[in-house]
Amino acid sequence: MSRIYDVAVIGAGVVGMSILRELTRYRLKVCSLEKMEDVAEGASKANSGIVHAGYDPIEGTKKARFNVEGNNIFADICNELDVEYKMIGSLVVAFDDYEINVLEELLQRGKRNGVKGLEIKSQEWVFENEPNLSRNIKAALFAPYSGITNPYKLTVALFENAIQNGADVIFSFEVCKIEKDGDYFVVHSADSRFVKTKVLINCAGVHADEISKMAGARLFKIYPRRGQYYILDKPQKMPVARVIFQVPTEKGKGILVTPTVDGNVLVGPNSEYIDSKDDTATTQEGLDEVFEKARKVLPSLSKRDVITIFSGIRATPDTHDFIIEEDEDVKNFINVAGIESPGLTASLAIGKYIAELVSDKLNAKRNLNFNPYRKDIKRFSELSDEEREEMIKLHPSFGNIVCRCELVSEYEIVEAIKRGAKTLDSIKRRIRAGMGRCQGGFCLPRVMDILSRELKIDKTQITKFGKNSYILTEKRWED
Amino acid sequence: MEKYKVVVIGGGPAGLAAALESFKSLDDKKVLIIERDKFLGGILNQCIHPGFGLHYFKEELTGPEYAHRFVEQVVENRIEYLTETHVIDITPEKEIVAVNKKGLKRIKADSIVLAMGCRERTRGAIITPGTRPAGIFTAGQAQRFINIEGYRIGKKAVIVGSGDIGLIMARRLTLEGIEVKAVVEIMPYSTGLRRNIVQCLDDFGIPLLLSHKLVKIHGKYRVEGVTIAKVDSQLQEIPSTERFIECDTVLFSVGLIPENELSKKAGVVLDMRTGGPVVDNTFSTSQKGIFACGNVLHVHDLVDNVTLEAQTAGRYAAIYSQHPELFENNIHINIMAKEGIRYVVPQKLNKNFVQPFVLRFRVDNFYKDAIVTISNAGKILIEIKKSILTPGEMESIEISQKILSQLDFSNDIVIRLQNI
Ligand SMILES: Cc1cc2nc3c(=O)[nH]c(=O)nc-3n(C[C@H](O)[C@H](O)[C@H](O)COP(=O)(O)OP(=O)(O)OC[C@H]3O[C@@H](n4cnc5c(N)ncnc54)[C@H](O)[C@@H]3O)c2cc1C
Ligand SMILES: Cc1cc2nc3c(=O)[nH]c(=O)nc-3n(C[C@H](O)[C@H](O)[C@H](O)COP(=O)(O)OP(=O)(O)OC[C@H]3O[C@@H](n4cnc5c(N)ncnc54)[C@H](O)[C@@H]3O)c2cc1C
């Protein structure tokens, strides 16, 4: 296999997909190369999903710039892509005078970064507006323009829209060697495929330092920094209305408690440097730390409500700022590396910036057919009974509930597969089948029936997320 | 809107028995069963091992055989049922919304019987650290893949939880050629029946590791092993007792949770300890005309008990549908679970229906030589000696007419354990 592109993006996380989509605004042949079988298999599926206001990063940094710019355009792009985004606001809570001083610093920094609406709120205000928070809280920094989104659904939406507009995404393509052939980069995969491209963009997350080295570009180091989380069942009444942060330390933004756009409660993350870049295990110590710290803010938190635990790995660069630049020595090689938090928030602004840079470079014309809109799959759980009736008339499979906890119909699963989902996790991320309180206990076999039927593969071939993640090992007898 | 006297939600053994009993006691035979699966029979369809019906039928049946006896009667009596139909909403006014491929149905019921069964606790619910590879199953999932679909789910397995389901699955996996390396149990005792420990583990040489905890799951794509450790009496891990077991499959059989999301929508009050509705001796929930039975009410070990309980619920549901006035101005006295008793069902006695009934309860720990007492107004009415009591075994005590006649209705009924 060989394909020739104007631009290739390594890594199909939210940053890579945002860049890819923005590139399709131009008349360019573009692709993304991803080692896994789906988009959002890295940090983009395992983070807090917060659209940060921008008071954290130090002024003048790329983090600060792209955070604030990203926040400004987030609502519009989510609107185009039919992705949930809720501007619920955030609070950083302070427990003592020292922490109140930190709030003041954050406020000033936020102002310098151009963040609007920041205000320090009194204890009374906090109790009135967030009655379940600890009575030991003395004050809080309120950021009305902070919001929440669904990070992997955003990544999927960017992917689908990029595909709609003509981009390619090549999965199971693990970049292992990069060579130069005249004006082109030749990018090789571990299983001996390659693509040629004029411009190569490195969005390989925690592995971006290795890619940069492969290309003979700038040397830097990415340190994996893990964060662990709890997901709690959808409560009858949300215990918090906003994103609740604790005062940040040198280790990061600290443990937060927040509603998710899907109506669950998310608690986490801690921060720990780890040895392996792919060690997404959770640990007892990490989970205990998260729980204890979160309890300090929300005393009513209960482990009874936990439905799952997970961790994500931040790509912390030794440069202390995002690395977003064309390499000085290797022309046409662009690093978008070290994109740790607030990388989700920044991703949409980074996409625009890089696409402009590249289109200038290649003198590309505008793609007049670019369509910014993408529609999400119609969700049974989100419609009124009347709308459901209409849909069932059109598509009887909309009346077949497969995932009982999240009320996901057969129709939605088939749609997800049509749009490129091949694994159980990819279906889960797109339409939530298996994400509810029973975690697939009921629907897993049923989703596998549908996958096997639609993809015309035996059930023993179905994986959780590609490679060796098989569910079943052998067929014993036929029906 | 379609109208029924009694609508039963869930077509497992509880739903079937309730529907049959309602049907028998009704003049106007409008009874409907709604089941989301393809077939009636509930969880029993995948329980192909023997051990069902010993009490009710006095013979040993498999799950599907047991269910079949009730399904047959439902069919013979032409009781209406819908399969592949999912109830998505119930209102306090007893309106039901159900969907299937033909459309969305709205049904008005005079009474409703909740019989939705339960779901399994998962690896996440018990907060098990480690990675999240493929190869992690709940016992029920594994049972479905193996018994109904005919697949093998791995080669070497570790089972977490030694209740009856975990024990039975240990034997099942072994018979399927999967090596069961161990059954790991955090408590110092198994909550499974003695006969299951012998027939499912001992006979196959499968080790049962009591006071052990699974502390970590390893593996990137498929499970590669687990780390287990010993725990102390506080269930805390004992340092440096960690041990790695290589396996490609982990089965969790760590408890069941009554499935009450719909009940909550109908405004039914739940009991924190059972996870099911609070009911009185008519199996009436806090919402008038809504009854509950089977695993949705509390988790049963034996289906025979489910059937008996469901029959009572079905009968009262029929009575309610014809004479709701009998349930007006009901006054209850509480039945309180005190020392040593984790929960009791029913939680209330209805003064309008002072009729003999069975109290079912579980103890909160392992007890030897203890006395269960039932008292009222400071007076002990029943005293039963037990040589062994474990949380894994549901106990029952009959409250006879004679006992009822001695009750002081201005006081609670209290059930507690006393050591000898
Ligand atoms: C715990 C945690 C919490 C966070 N919270 C927030 C938050 O609340 N708000 C916020 O704005 N940001 C947050 N972030 C940051 C945000 O998640 C990341 O900045 C963002 O997801 C990075 O996206 P990415 O595309 O750069 O990386 P990734 O999503 O990691 O994508 C990298 C991709 O590259 C692929 N890849 C790697 N090597 C190769 C190779 N050799 N060949 C081919 N493909 C390869 C990977 O498979 C992966 O798909 C958080 C991050 C973490 C870890
Ligand atoms: C592995 C295993 C082994 C067992 N072994 C034994 C044994 O050896 N001996 C014994 O006596 N008992 C045994 N039992 C216990 C026995 O099977 C249960 O106690 C009994 O099946 C519970 O009956 P139920 O009707 O309450 O629930 P279920 O059988 O779970 O039935 C509930 C039904 O409700 C349906 N439903 C739920 N929600 C909806 C909705 N919204 N709309 C429509 N339908 C819905 C479900 O699909 C299901 O069919 C075992 C159980 C298991 C899981």
Side-chain angles (χ1 to χ4, degrees):
Chain A
M1 187 203 83
S2 111
R3 298 192 211 179
I4 299 178
Y5 290 96
D6 296 314
V7 192
V9 179
I10 301 173
V14 70
V15 173
M17 287 301 101
S18 168
I19 293 174
L20 193 71
R21 173 189 186 244
E22 289 297 332
L23 285 169
T24 60
R25 289 180 190 273
Y26 301 92
R27 285 206 263 164
L28 290 169
K29 197 159 157 37
V30 298
C31 76
S32 150
L33 308 172
E34 169 56 51
K35 69 175 175 185
M36 301 300 286
E37 273 195 37
D38 192 16
V39 303
E41 285 283 6
S44 301
K45 77 170 171 196
N47 58 57
S48 311
I50 310 298
V51 180
H52 291 288
Y55 50 78
D56 276 306
I58 310 283
E59 53 271 33
T61 58
K62 291 192 167 117
K63 269 189 193 172
R65 169 184 166 189
F66 289 109
N67 181 344
V68 174
E69 284 182 25
N71 182 297
N72 286 342
I73 59 176
F74 222 90
D76 286 343
I77 295 188
C78 284
N79 201 22
E80 289 174 351
L81 297 173
D82 202 9
V83 171
E84 298 93 337
Y85 169 56
K86 289 186 185 148
M87 210 191 280
I88 59 175
S90 68
L91 292 178
V92 183
V93 297
F95 286 90
D96 54 34
D97 290 345
Y98 168 77
E99 293 191 342
I100 292 174
N101 282 336
V102 179
L103 297 188
E104 190 58 45
E105 276 171 38
L106 289 175
L107 175 81
Q108 294 312 329
R109 193 190 300 162
K111 282 186 175 163
R112 291 193 294 268
N113 286 344
V115 180
K116 288 183 290 254
L118 294 175
E119 242 181 288
I120 292 180
K121 297 284 193 186
S122 67
Q123 191 178 42
E124 292 70 41
W125 187 95
V126 173
F127 297 159
E128 207 163 293
N129 290 278
E130 294 286 356
N132 296 317
L133 294 188
S134 160
R135 296 281 135 174
N136 298 328
I137 291 169
K138 300 279 184 292
L141 174 67
F142 176 51
Y145 296 106
S146 298
I148 53 175
T149 189
N150 183 322
Y152 40 87
K153 280 183 81 171
L154 174 63
T155 313
V156 166
L158 290 163
F159 157 72
E160 287 181 3
N161 191 233
I163 299 279
Q164 264 175 287
N165 285 304
D168 288 344
V169 177
I170 305 173
F171 289 109
S172 304
F173 193 108
E174 178 165 1
V175 176
C176 67
K177 194 164 79 182
I178 299 167
E179 292 172 325
K180 220 41 228 260
D181 177 8
D183 285 346
Y184 284 90
F185 291 96
V186 187
V187 186
H188 296 267
S189 75
D191 59 353
S192 310
R193 289 175 286 165
F194 66 92
V195 300
K196 288 182 144 193
T197 182
K198 282 187 207 147
V199 174
L200 185 59
I201 305 176
N202 173 15
C203 304
V206 275
H207 295 285
D209 51 353
E210 297 150 43
I211 298 285
S212 188
K213 195 171 165 202
M214 272 182 223
R218 173 175 172 185
L219 294 180
F220 53 86
K221 256 197 111 34
I222 303 275
Y223 295 103
R225 191 161 55 92
R226 185 168 61 195
Q228 306 187 25
Y229 292 92
Y230 297 87
I231 297 265
L232 274 51
D233 200 357
K234 294 178 179 175
Q236 273 181 314
K237 206 180 162 312
M238 219 8 114
V240 293
R242 298 167 187 76
V243 187
I244 312 297
F245 292 105
Q246 299 184 32
V247 162
T249 64
E250 70 285 355
K251 285 174 88 186
K253 287 187 273 289
I255 310 290
L256 59 84
V257 179
T258 181
T260 69
V261 282
D262 299 297
N264 297 88
V265 180
L266 179 74
V267 180
N270 63 340
S271 168
E272 46 180 340
Y273 284 99
I274 52 173
D275 298 330
S276 158
K277 288 181 172 177
D278 301 303
D279 183 8
T280 50
T282 47
T283 61
Q284 195 63 57
E285 305 75 57
L287 291 167
D288 288 346
E289 180 193 348
V290 168
F291 194 78
E292 273 159 38
K293 289 191 177 158
R295 263 276 259 269
K296 193 175 155 206
V297 178
L298 185 67
S300 62
L301 202 64
S302 161
K303 285 191 183 166
R304 265 178 91 118
D305 301 320
V306 174
I307 59 174
T308 195
I309 49 180
F310 68 90
S311 78
I313 301 177
R314 307 172 186 86
T316 303
D318 58 3
T319 59
H320 307 293
D321 194 9
F322 292 166
I323 302 167
I324 302 177
E325 65 197 12
E326 180 176 6
D327 197 73
E328 278 183 15
D329 301 322
V330 185
K331 215 172 124 260
N332 290 344
F333 180 81
I334 302 172
N335 271 317
V336 184
I339 312 297
E340 55 179 346
S341 194
L344 169 66
T345 315
S347 63
L348 300 180
I350 295 174
K352 284 199 185 298
Y353 170 77
I354 295 287
E356 272 164 34
L357 188 91
V358 171
S359 63
D360 277 353
K361 199 176 229 333
L362 296 175
N363 252 323
K365 296 216 167 51
R366 287 243 155 214
N367 169 10
L368 298 177
N369 295 325
F370 178 79
N371 174 8
Y373 298 103
R374 167 264 182 195
K375 275 286 205 222
D376 196 9
I377 298 169
K378 269 233 165 92
R379 303 292 321 278
F380 185 94
S381 62
E382 284 162 12
L383 301 187
S384 68
D385 284 352
E386 288 66 35
E387 293 168 315
R388 287 168 176 165
E389 263 181 311
E390 283 305 307
M391 273 298 283
I392 298 172
K393 270 194 207 124
L394 288 172
H395 308 281
S397 63
F398 203 70
N400 180 22
I401 301 297
V402 176
C403 166
R404 62 180 174 191
C405 304
E406 297 289 317
L407 287 186
V408 182
S409 67
E410 178 183 347
Y411 167 87
E412 290 155 71
I413 297 171
V414 173
E415 272 302 300
I417 297 169
K418 282 188 190 156
R419 294 172 181 218
K422 299 183 286 285
T423 64
L424 289 160
D425 279 0
S426 60
I427 286 182
K428 184 166 98 173
R429 284 197 291 271
R430 280 163 179 80
I431 51 166
R432 294 186 65 76
M435 262 196 185
R437 58 186 70 84
C438 92
Q439 290 285 297
F442 178 75
C443 67
L444 171 74
R446 290 157 177 88
V447 175
M448 287 177 71
D449 285 342
I450 299 169
L451 261 172
S452 145
R453 182 187 77 205
E454 295 296 312
L455 296 177
K456 300 192 175 58
I457 56 171
D458 189 82
K459 275 192 244 175
T460 52
Q461 297 306 304
I462 295 172
T463 63
K464 189 171 183 313
F465 55 99
K467 297 229 169 71
N468 280 328
S469 62
Y470 295 106
I471 307 295
L472 305 173
T473 53
E474 194 186 328
K475 177 87 189 165
R476 301 272 287 154
W477 37 263
E478 297 297 326
D479 286 325
Chain B
M1 193 163 5
E2 284 180 70
K3 284 195 170 158
Y4 285 87
K5 284 271 150 212
V6 177
V7 175
V8 176
I9 302 172
L16 294 172
L20 277 161
E21 206 63 24
S22 292
F23 188 80
K24 278 186 207 152
S25 16
L26 282 172
D27 309 326
D28 164 4
K29 304 270 181 204
K30 289 289 280 178
V31 175
L32 174 69
I33 305 170
I34 308 179
E35 167 57 50
R36 66 175 167 212
D37 227 324
K38 268 198 186 116
F39 306 104
L40 295 176
I43 199 77
L44 293 185
N45 286 328
Q46 60 185 58
C47 299
I48 62 172
H49 58 279
F52 297 81
L54 277 167
H55 300 263
Y56 190 75
F57 291 114
K58 308 276 181 276
E59 60 179 305
E60 195 168 49
L61 305 172
T62 64
E65 284 169 339
Y66 186 96
H68 185 67
R69 298 207 170 175
F70 293 89
V71 175
E72 238 174 2
Q73 290 181 58
V74 165
V75 173
E76 270 167 22
N77 286 299
R78 302 223 175 84
I79 297 179
E80 286 182 60
Y81 65 87
L82 290 167
T83 50
E84 294 189 281
T85 305
H86 201 108
V87 175
I88 56 171
D89 205 6
I90 313 176
T91 67
E93 292 71 40
K94 296 186 288 289
E95 281 175 26
I96 295 163
V97 184
V99 285
N100 59 28
K101 288 190 172 184
K102 294 200 197 100
L104 199 115
K105 252 182 187 323
R106 283 192 185 75
I107 299 162
K108 173 84 182 92
D110 288 335
S111 1
I112 291 177
V113 180
L114 305 172
M116 290 90 75
C118 56
R119 64 170 183 274
E120 296 177 274
R121 292 222 289 163
T122 61
R123 175 257 171 109
I126 62 164
I127 314 184
T128 313
T131 51
R132 308 209 303 167
I136 301 168
F137 300 87
T138 61
Q141 278 177 330
Q143 205 175 36
R144 187 184 159 106
F145 282 130
I146 294 170
N147 293 349
I148 299 201
E149 302 192 8
Y151 286 94
R152 192 178 270 170
I153 57 165
K155 294 196 173 73
K156 293 174 196 167
V158 167
I159 296 179
V160 186
S162 71
D164 287 317
I165 299 175
L167 299 175
I168 285 165
M169 287 312 290
R171 174 175 66 188
R172 190 76 196 103
L173 294 186
T174 310
L175 295 174
E176 281 299 310
I178 299 169
E179 185 193 346
V180 179
K181 294 261 184 124
V183 174
V184 180
E185 170 62 59
I186 191 166
M187 303 304 284
Y189 50 82
S190 158
T191 56
L193 298 170
R194 185 71 218 143
R195 75 170 151 118
N196 279 333
I197 295 180
V198 175
Q199 293 172 8
C200 300
L201 300 188
D202 298 353
D203 289 358
F204 296 91
I206 300 168
L208 171 60
L209 306 177
L210 299 175
S211 296
H212 273 74
K213 183 180 175 188
L214 193 159
V215 293
K216 190 161 185 181
I217 294 177
H218 307 261
K220 178 141 182 67
Y221 294 97
R222 176 86 194 193
V223 172
E224 288 164 17
V226 297
T227 300
I228 61 167
K230 284 193 187 149
V231 296
D232 59 22
S233 56
Q234 304 305 306
L235 308 184
Q236 292 304 308
E237 190 184 330
I238 303 173
S240 68
T241 58
E242 290 191 347
R243 174 146 70 94
F244 179 79
I245 305 181
E246 190 212 328
C247 61
D248 63 1
T249 304
V250 189
L251 223 69
F252 281 90
S253 176
V254 289
L256 302 167
I257 304 172
E259 178 90 36
N260 278 289
E261 273 55 50
L262 277 177
S263 323
K264 283 186 208 155
K265 287 191 179 180
V268 165
V269 173
L270 301 183
D271 180 331
M272 283 291 282
R273 285 160 304 177
T274 58
V278 173
V279 292
D280 65 21
N281 55 321
T282 68
F283 290 92
S284 171
T285 67
S286 62
Q287 289 292 7
K288 285 219 171 70
I290 301 185
F291 298 78
C293 57
N295 279 351
V296 80
L297 180 58
H298 59 134
V299 176
H300 296 68
D301 328 324
L302 292 180
V303 69
D304 310 64
N305 293 329
V306 168
T307 301
L308 294 169
E309 183 183 282
Q311 287 172 336
T312 312
R315 195 162 57 246
Y316 280 109
I319 296 174
Y320 183 94
S321 73
Q322 292 177 326
H323 299 288
E325 71 283 358
L326 294 178
F327 291 77
E328 283 304 315
N329 310 318
N330 280 348
I331 300 176
H332 288 105
I333 62 174
N334 291 321
I335 305 172
M336 312 290 284
K338 289 277 171 72
E339 298 88 326
I341 309 292
R342 196 171 59 168
Y343 75 70
V344 61
V345 173
Q347 295 91 336
K348 289 170 179 204
L349 169 62
N350 188 331
K351 283 203 209 169
N352 290 8
F353 297 93
V354 182
Q355 276 163 18
F357 66 101
V358 178
L359 274 185
R360 300 189 197 281
F361 61 93
R362 285 183 198 272
V363 292
D364 62 5
N365 211 329
F366 186 89
Y367 293 98
K368 258 187 143 159
D369 298 323
I371 303 176
V372 182
T373 67
I374 293 183
S375 56
N376 168 247
K379 205 168 80 197
I380 293 182
L381 302 177
I382 301 181
E383 210 175 36
I384 296 173
K385 259 198 193 149
K386 286 271 182 184
S387 53
I388 287 179
L389 286 163
T390 85
E393 260 175 89
M394 193 163 84
E395 302 287 337
S396 57
I397 292 177
E398 210 163 317
I399 309 295
S400 63
Q401 197 63 55
K402 185 162 157 260
I403 300 289
L404 288 168
S405 65
Q406 301 169 29
L407 280 180
D408 168 355
F409 281 91
S410 50
N411 276 292
D412 293 345
I413 297 174
V414 175
I415 171 165
R416 57 161 60 91
L417 257 192
Q418 283 168 12
N419 277 315
I420 302 179

